[in-house]
Amino acid sequence: MGCQDEPLVQQVRELFEQISSLKSLKPSKDVNMLFTQLVLTCMPPSPIDVTKLCNRVQEMRSKLIRLCGEAEGLLESHFSTILGSYENPLDHLHIFPYYSNYLKLSLLEFTILTQQYCTQYHVPNKVAFVGSGPLPLTSIVLASNHLTTTTFHNYDIDPLANSMAVRLVSSDPDLSKRMFFHTNDIMNVTTALKDYEVVFLAALVGMDQEEKVRVIDHLAKYMAPGALLMLRSAHGARAFLYPVVDPCDLRGFEVLSVFHPSDEVVNSVVIARKYPMPTHSLEQQSLGPMILPTCKCSEIQAFNPFNHGNMIEDFSIDERQLS
């Protein structure tokens, strides 16, 4: 049976064709219905490996991810505009339909980050979020609920997105002093990257593997040695919605762990540490799995891409914490 004959692939292709025929991806009844169906189709755990599908399906997947990215951006702009009309926008974040997902994803990322820092008393002073968009919910939730003394530097290439994002936090006496927005292509940011102890890379920065690798290589060149990189990936059928980060592509980084949620949180989370070595030597080395640096609270084995089940258990992340 060919890869296009898989029932799941057939369902995704049918939805892709319907979405492609839409005149606009701005929020509407039809757009919302089709993307809801797509998400519900791709959410259940699936053994499918999208990287092994035939070329024709791979091309369809690439186009679908870009359509999802465009629709997500329009949805965020729509709700950022609505939120920006309130006197205190942050008091109304719950109107965004996926706000609860961001709460869970941010808690998951904070839990993983805390374990890698080894102590609750050591929190990062400065972090960067690359691809923050018009509705920077991850930065807002982390700054409000988890990293309450940390300064957040948000990068986006779109000046309009940044102006909308600024409107959301400008009235808040705390976040307005700790959240900064930079209109810049991250590929043009160099020495500033050394200032951040943690860099978050949004799922849709780098819409295909080549673009994603180019961004990762740039971060590997300019991030401070020992700094952490948090990436969002996708697993199983969810990879029809978002790009997959292959740990092998994280040249210059030591992959510490990978977590694949099985609930309504769509994205997988990858955390890696910048190697303390000259970046010019990275291409000359074969960077395979390595033992983690000494860290008593992180007794997990070196990354093994075929051992995700144990990796989740070793995280000791109780799903009740995320509900």
Side-chain angles (χ1 to χ4, degrees):
M1 182 169 65
C3 72
Q4 298 179 68
D5 298 324
E6 292 279 352
L8 174 63
V9 174
Q10 287 184 339
Q11 293 178 53
V12 171
R13 175 171 286 283
E14 289 173 4
L15 288 167
F16 164 71
E17 291 173 352
Q18 294 179 66
I19 291 171
S20 299
S21 67
L22 293 170
K23 294 181 179 179
S24 171
L25 295 180
K26 291 182 179 180
S28 67
K29 181 178 179 180
D30 289 341
V31 170
N32 297 345
M33 178 188 68
L34 287 173
F35 277 102
T36 297
Q37 290 180 7
L38 178 64
V39 171
L40 292 176
T41 299
C42 297
M43 284 296 287
S46 169
I48 193 169
D49 182 351
V50 296
T51 64
K52 296 181 179 178
L53 297 176
C54 60
N55 290 338
R56 187 172 179 182
V57 174
Q58 293 282 11
E59 292 175 8
M60 180 271 292
R61 172 180 168 260
S62 295
K63 293 176 182 177
L64 181 58
I65 288 175
R66 292 187 182 276
L67 289 171
C68 289
E70 181 182 350
E72 184 172 314
L74 292 169
L75 181 70
E76 291 185 0
S77 293
H78 174 75
F79 277 94
S80 185
T81 300
I82 295 174
L83 287 165
S85 67
Y86 290 102
E87 184 176 353
N88 297 300
L90 299 187
D91 293 338
H92 303 275
L93 295 178
H94 61 274
I95 70 171
F96 184 64
Y98 301 107
Y99 179 56
S100 62
N101 289 15
Y102 276 91
L103 290 175
K104 289 189 175 186
L105 178 57
S106 296
L107 176 56
L108 169 61
E109 291 176 326
F110 173 71
T111 303
I112 295 172
L113 181 63
T114 299
Q115 291 182 347
Q116 296 304 332
Y117 262 83
C118 301
T119 169
Q120 60 180 332
Y121 303 108
H122 183 177
V123 297
N125 293 315
K126 293 178 67 175
V127 306
F129 194 97
V130 180
S132 47
L135 188 60
L137 283 177
T138 298
S139 292
I140 289 173
V141 172
L142 286 172
S144 301
N145 300 349
H146 305 298
L147 300 174
T148 55
T149 61
T150 301
T151 299
F152 286 75
H153 289 257
N154 301 280
Y155 287 87
D156 200 282
I157 199 170
D158 183 359
L160 179 58
N162 276 337
S163 65
M164 296 173 75
V166 168
R167 173 70 184 89
L168 301 181
V169 302
S170 60
S171 62
D172 187 88
D174 175 30
L175 295 194
S176 60
K177 298 177 182 177
R178 292 194 293 119
M179 292 189 70
F180 301 91
F181 296 87
H182 307 277
T183 301
N184 211 334
D185 185 336
I186 198 61
M187 299 298 290
N188 296 327
V189 181
T190 56
T191 56
L193 287 170
K194 291 182 170 58
D195 296 335
Y196 307 119
E197 295 151 271
V198 184
V199 175
F200 290 82
L201 184 63
L204 294 174
V205 175
M207 299 287 274
D208 58 33
Q209 185 180 23
E210 183 177 339
E211 293 176 17
K212 185 79 73 175
V213 168
R214 189 160 55 246
V215 174
I216 291 171
D217 286 348
H218 179 78
L219 294 175
K221 182 176 181 180
Y222 290 105
M223 282 174 61
L228 295 177
L229 177 62
M230 300 280 290
L231 309 98
R232 292 174 180 175
S233 182
H235 184 65
R238 301 176 185 204
F240 283 109
L241 307 174
Y242 289 101
V244 174
V245 175
D246 187 339
C248 296
D249 291 332
L250 286 164
R251 296 174 296 185
F253 292 93
E254 172 191 7
V255 179
L256 302 179
S257 55
V258 177
F259 185 84
H260 298 304
S262 57
D263 59 8
E264 64 269 25
V265 176
V266 177
N267 293 114
S268 301
V269 178
V270 181
I271 183 169
R273 179 180 284 126
K274 166 76 178 291
Y275 279 119
M277 63 174 63
T279 55
H280 63 75
S281 65
L282 295 180
E283 294 181 358
Q284 302 170 9
Q285 302 191 33
S286 176
L287 301 177
M290 294 182 66
I291 301 301
L292 297 179
T294 302
C295 179
K296 296 300 182 183
C297 75
S298 186
E299 298 294 338
I300 64 176
Q301 56 190 297
F303 177 76
N304 180 345
F306 303 104
N307 199 20
H308 290 149
N310 290 341
M311 194 66 71
I312 294 173
E313 292 175 6
D314 286 332
F315 269 151
S316 299
I317 294 179
D318 189 336
E319 291 200 0
R320 291 173 295 181
Q321 292 178 264
L322 307 179
S323 62

